[in-house]
Amino acid sequence: MKKALITGASGEIGTAIVECLRNEYEIYAHTFQKKDFLQTKFASEIQGGSIHIVKADLSISTGVADLLQQIPCVPDLLIYCAGKELYELFTDTSEHEYAKMLKLHVENPMKIVQQMLPSMIAKKYGNIILVSSVWGQVGASCEVLYATCKGAQQAFVKSLAKETAPSGIRVNAVAPGVVDTRMIRDFTEEEQKKLIEEIPMGRFAQPNEIAEVIRFLSSDLSSYMTGSVVTVSGGWQIP
């Protein structure tokens, strides 16, 4: 069975990705704060050895080493879903927030990929998928740092895809719009209503709808796709 590393697996989108792929891959499911949740959610798969929980803080400098030392081999599939939003005025963004957001969204995913690439190149096979955001395509007021990080992810995907395609390695990204997760449920009912009114499909995405697009990108059905940023937004904020 092929092996996959899914970072941010305890988030709602990450968990949906694990559920989508658990019968197709042996999965290393990464989390930082919710190991107990994953152990309960996937108890039977963990007992059977098809899912392994790994813990690391990917917002700090040592996070990549902490993560990779728990994985005994380079996986066939890497899905980078770890991330967090930051909603505030750009003038209020602190040096600490800069460091953590850039580590989590840009520097550490690049470092993970960089360390995995030699093995993937030797095998002439690899599949890398980043979970980005529509804000990385169109920008976002009051989410300047977050949108900038997501835009950097998309530039990385497009550039790396050109470099690694001759080695049989595909690199793609998914750019979700508004997804019905814990984050959006922090909005007031009126704020949610206004958001829905802006979305042509008239509703938020469900986490499994993002996961199914990632399942497609992880499969041979998308074998000729690389360097793509797939927008999944219900028609909202189309770049």
Side-chain angles (χ1 to χ4, degrees):
M1 182 177 283
K2 289 182 178 180
K3 295 176 171 56
L5 167 61
I6 302 171
T7 71
S10 58
E12 285 158 291
I13 294 174
T15 300
I17 296 168
V18 176
E19 289 179 326
C20 261
L21 298 181
R22 61 183 171 180
N23 295 322
E24 302 168 31
Y25 289 86
E26 180 181 344
I27 294 173
Y28 292 87
H30 157 264
T31 186
F32 173 48
Q33 296 178 320
K34 296 184 177 180
K35 185 175 181 179
D36 291 345
F37 165 75
L38 288 178
Q39 287 176 325
T40 301
K41 178 77 175 176
F42 299 109
S44 60
E45 289 88 350
I46 292 169
Q47 187 174 3
S50 61
I51 292 180
H52 316 275
I53 308 301
V54 293
K55 183 178 178 180
D57 182 357
L58 294 178
S59 69
I60 61 174
S61 297
T62 59
V64 172
D66 293 341
L67 173 69
L68 295 182
Q69 70 182 2
Q70 300 173 65
I71 303 171
C73 60
V74 172
D76 305 283
L77 171 66
L78 166 62
I79 300 173
Y80 195 92
C81 190
K84 61 175 289 186
E85 283 205 314
L86 180 66
Y87 188 84
E88 64 183 11
L89 290 171
F90 183 56
T91 50
D92 293 336
T93 303
S94 69
E95 290 289 334
H96 177 69
E97 288 164 336
Y98 266 110
K100 288 181 76 70
M101 291 289 284
L102 288 167
K103 278 276 190 304
L104 180 61
H105 293 277
V106 183
E107 184 178 338
N108 280 344
M110 292 177 71
K111 284 184 174 180
I112 292 170
V113 170
Q114 187 179 41
Q115 294 197 38
M116 291 184 173
L117 274 179
S119 177
M120 289 182 172
I121 291 168
K123 292 189 299 182
K124 292 285 184 181
Y125 181 83
N127 195 345
I128 299 165
I129 303 168
L130 274 68
V131 180
S132 187
S133 168
V134 71
W135 290 143
Q137 297 169 298
V138 301
S141 173
C142 295
E143 295 189 66
V144 173
L145 180 55
Y146 176 78
T148 300
C149 290
K150 291 302 185 179
Q153 286 184 345
Q154 293 171 27
F156 173 62
V157 162
K158 293 173 184 179
S159 300
L160 187 65
K162 293 179 178 181
E163 186 171 312
T164 59
S167 299
I169 298 162
R170 298 195 293 121
V171 190
N172 293 290
V174 173
V178 185
V179 185
D180 187 9
T181 63
R182 180 175 55 257
M183 179 205 74
I184 201 64
R185 289 191 287 273
D186 289 339
F187 285 33
T188 67
E189 185 176 339
E190 184 62 24
E191 287 170 334
Q192 291 187 38
K193 182 181 177 182
K194 287 181 179 179
L195 264 177
I196 288 172
E197 288 173 353
E198 295 176 8
I199 300 170
M201 290 191 72
R203 64 176 179 85
F204 302 145
Q206 294 302 309
N208 69 292
E209 292 178 301
I210 310 303
E212 289 292 351
V213 176
I214 291 169
R215 186 212 291 264
F216 169 71
L217 291 174
S218 74
S219 75
D220 291 339
L221 294 172
S222 60
S223 57
Y224 198 59
M225 289 182 67
T226 195
S228 297
V229 178
V230 183
T231 305
V232 190
S233 69
W236 182 67
Q237 299 287 351
I238 296 175

